């Protein structure tokens, strides 16, 4: 099955890695632009939904609206699975390696981890990581839903064109 995965999926993954790693870290766009992380998470919803769509295309070629709906739901589910996994990796990276993926450096307290993760009050600066995670997941989820709607509209337009060609070909044969 992995041999059948479209090269577009690999290209999409390379784009998101290039934007996040090279442009964000090495070209210092995270430092220069405070909204680059916001933009990147919004774009990642589109990219992961599109990658899910192409992965689904390796399994099913949609012929009707129900099959396309199932394929688009798979793409949405794929994207909605990738988003929290990415946020967990950010959190684990901050915890284990001391990176600043969630916007600041923090010192974890392993014996009080649940206490630290869920905050110690609304004015606690450690709540920033919860806000960052929820904000990033909301952005990516929103763009995933937008991708779902776009995929549905695109398939509806393609099926109308196909239906019109079929009618035209039948009329031509009947003449």
């Amino acid at each position: 099955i992995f041999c059948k995965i479209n090269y577009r999926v690999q290209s999409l993954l390379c784009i998101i890695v290039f934007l996040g790693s090279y442009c964000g870290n090495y070209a210092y766009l995270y430092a220069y632009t405070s909204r680059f992380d916001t933009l990147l998470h919004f774009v990642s919803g589109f990219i992961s939904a599109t990658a899910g769509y192409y992965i689904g295309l390796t399994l099913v070629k949609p012929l009707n609206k129900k099959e396309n709906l199932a394929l688009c739901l798979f793409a949405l589910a794929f994207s909605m699975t990738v988003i929290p996994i990415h946020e967990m990796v950010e959190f684990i990276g901050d915890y284990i390696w001391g990176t600043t993926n969630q916007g600041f450096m923090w010192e974890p307290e392993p014996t009080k981890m649940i206490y630290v993760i869920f905050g110690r009050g609304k004015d606690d600066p450690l709540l920033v990581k919860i806000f960052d995670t929820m904000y990033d997941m909301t952005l990516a989820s929103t763009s995933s839903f937008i991708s779902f709607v776009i995929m549905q509209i695109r398939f509806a337009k393609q099926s109308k064109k196909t239906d019109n060609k079929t009618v035209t070909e039948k009329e031509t044969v009947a003449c």
Side-chain angles (χ1 to χ4, degrees), residues 12-25:
L12 291 170
L13 294 176
C14 288
I15 288 170
I16 199 73
V17 168
F18 173 76
L19 288 174
S21 295
Y22 181 76
C23 295
N25 292 325

Side-chain angles (χ1 to χ4, degrees), residues 85-99:
I85 289 172
H86 171 77
E87 289 299 323
M88 284 183 241
V89 168
E90 277 187 357
F91 178 80
I92 291 168
D94 285 355
Y95 180 70
I96 293 174
W97 296 294
T99 59

Side-chain angles (χ1 to χ4, degrees), residues 44 173-174:
S44 72
V173 172

Side-chain angles (χ1 to χ4, degrees), residues 7 36 51 53 72 74 78 104 106 117 135 155 160 171 174:
Y7 286 109
F36 183 71
Y53 186 81
C72 290
F74 173 78
F78 179 82
F104 66 99
W106 63 287
I117 290 172
Y135 187 72
F155 184 79
K160 282 183 183 179
E171 289 173 357

